[in-house]
Amino acid sequence: MRQRERAEIVRQRLEQHYPTTPVPLDHGDAFTLLIAVLLSAQCTDKKVNEVTPALFAAGPTPQAMAELAEATIFGHIRQLGLAKTKARNVKRLAELLLERHGGEVPATFQALEALPGVGHKTASVVMAQAFGVPAFPVDTHIHRLAQRWGLSSGLSVKRTETDLKHLFPKHVWNKLHLQIIFYGREFCTARGCDGTRCPLCRELFPKRRKPVVLQRP
């Protein structure tokens, strides 16, 4: 089976499994989405969703968030990994939105990635989900599954993103990246599948007998 044939099977099966793709991080607008994605680094979406209601009640806008003391932000998110660094970044990010962008979340990769704590993946999520710009954010689920499904060598996260963008039409990127994440959490987990066990791995590579050796992000 050729790589593009595998890609099309992946697209069809994931569309059957997940016809709708709600964003897993609770948010109300582009600003709260940006903060939630920033906080999700090295942390589960579930844990982030537990702490953000109180944080967003205290700082629902860049103006309100910038006015909070860093210690106050830390108090709301202290359960999260890297909480001290994230608290500092959240406050400074809010200040920079006011200083540089009139209190609005910018809708360009360059401007987003210039904000503290915002890398390419975070910017990609915001561009895709807040502004509808085609993007393919690659997290650990996507990086792992792209290798198991023979869609990328996985030499780096950047390479995985490039490979997936090449294989799938642009109009499905925003939905597909969430579908892959959902599938990875439900069926093709880090411990539950090694490239030979889940339904898609078995369909794509029915003769595969050895576990897939993954390249790490």
Side-chain angles (χ1 to χ4, degrees):
M1 187 184 301
R2 295 181 178 180
Q3 192 177 56
R4 286 197 176 276
E5 293 174 317
R6 291 197 298 271
E8 179 58 19
I9 289 174
V10 166
R11 189 195 66 77
Q12 292 180 8
R13 298 296 178 267
L14 294 184
E15 183 63 25
Q16 293 167 0
H17 276 291
Y18 309 105
T20 59
T21 52
V23 179
L25 290 166
D26 295 339
H27 66 284
D29 55 21
F31 173 65
T32 51
L33 175 63
L34 174 59
I35 298 300
V37 180
L38 184 158
L39 294 177
S40 69
Q42 298 187 32
C43 188
T44 66
D45 292 346
K46 179 180 178 181
K47 180 60 69 173
V48 173
N49 288 339
E50 289 174 2
V51 306
T52 49
L55 175 65
F56 293 156
T61 65
Q63 177 77 42
M65 191 71 78
E67 292 174 354
L68 295 179
E70 185 178 315
T72 300
I73 298 173
F74 174 75
H76 286 297
I77 67 171
R78 63 189 310 153
Q79 303 173 46
L80 307 182
L82 307 175
K84 289 186 177 180
T85 299
K86 289 176 180 178
R88 181 170 64 251
N89 286 340
V90 166
K91 181 173 176 63
R92 185 58 184 146
L93 181 153
E95 293 171 343
L96 289 176
L97 289 181
L98 297 171
E99 294 171 14
R100 298 177 180 175
H101 305 289
E104 300 292 331
V105 175
T108 69
F109 283 96
Q110 182 178 11
L112 285 168
E113 291 177 29
L115 296 170
V118 179
H120 182 67
K121 191 203 84 170
T122 296
S124 295
V125 173
V126 174
M127 292 296 289
Q129 305 304 332
F131 301 118
V133 175
F136 215 124
V138 175
D139 72 349
T140 55
H141 293 287
I142 293 176
H143 187 66
R144 181 176 70 246
L145 270 60
Q147 294 174 69
R148 288 180 178 170
W149 296 342
L151 304 180
S152 175
S153 65
L155 292 176
S156 67
V157 169
K158 183 177 181 180
R159 176 60 183 269
T160 299
E161 179 181 343
T162 299
D163 290 342
L164 294 176
K165 284 181 173 179
H166 178 70
L167 284 171
F168 294 101
K170 186 177 291 188
H171 71 273
V172 306
W173 292 355
N174 291 356
K175 185 176 186 180
L176 185 61
H177 96 267
L178 287 172
Q179 290 172 322
I180 296 174
I181 290 171
F182 295 161
Y183 188 89
R185 290 176 179 176
E186 186 173 1
F187 297 104
C188 199
T189 63
R191 296 182 180 180
C193 181
D194 58 8
T196 66
R197 302 177 188 177
C198 82
L200 254 176
C201 285
R202 292 198 305 268
E203 181 176 2
L204 296 173
F205 294 96
K207 296 181 180 180
R208 180 188 278 165
R209 296 293 178 264
K210 295 182 179 180
V212 176
V213 179
L214 298 176
Q215 299 283 345
R216 298 300 177 185

